Amino acid sequence: MLFVDVSEDQEVRDNSVVWNEVRAIAVFEEDLRQALTTVTRLWERDTASDLERLTSAQNPKPTALVLNALVESLSSRRLTGQLTADEVKDIIRAFAAQLGILSTERTRHAR
């Protein structure tokens, strides 16, 4: 679920670049903020739904928000060459395992 947005695929990379640019521009362009908020909340809703379906999370909304923010931040570092896609996946996998929402074994095959 979280690894879809972390790929060396050119289309995924291009979408990530655009997402980061829109988020940065929204700091200065108030008109973009509402649309950005709407899309972000939909992404969080989808992630929370996945967490509910795949884990025993009692209140998945805060966890979904943190996981999506983590993916965004790490994706930015990947785009600037600070991390590889595999490093990002390893970090997400380790964080999710610490939260007890994904087992290391289940996520090991998500490359």
Side-chain angles (χ1 to χ4, degrees):
M1 93 187 137
L2 297 170
F3 301 114
V4 172
D5 296 309
V6 181
S7 169
E8 297 298 343
D9 178 77
Q10 190 61 43
E11 184 177 350
V12 171
R13 189 180 191 295
D14 291 347
N15 287 337
S16 187
V17 168
V18 170
W19 180 258
N20 279 277
E21 288 177 355
V22 169
R23 184 165 295 287
I25 292 168
V27 170
F28 305 102
E29 298 291 334
E30 194 169 332
D31 294 345
L32 286 176
R33 291 180 194 159
Q34 185 57 48
L36 184 65
T37 298
T38 299
V39 172
T40 299
R41 287 192 178 139
L42 289 172
W43 185 30
E44 290 167 4
R45 184 200 66 199
D46 290 348
T47 302
S49 176
D50 287 344
L51 288 170
E52 254 179 341
R53 187 172 42 83
L54 299 171
T55 71
S56 60
Q58 298 298 316
N59 187 4
K61 288 181 183 180
T63 304
L65 185 149
V66 170
L67 285 170
N68 288 348
L70 178 67
V71 169
E72 270 187 314
S73 176
L74 293 173
S75 180
S76 292
R77 291 184 184 201
R78 178 181 61 88
L79 292 172
T80 60
Q82 297 172 48
L83 295 169
T84 66
D86 285 342
E87 288 171 321
V88 170
K89 290 176 188 178
D90 288 343
I91 293 165
I92 294 167
R93 190 177 292 110
F95 183 72
Q98 283 184 346
L99 292 176
I101 58 173
L102 296 175
S103 72
T104 306
E105 187 60 36
R106 280 177 47 196
T107 59
R108 183 173 292 133
H109 303 290
R111 285 192 189 238

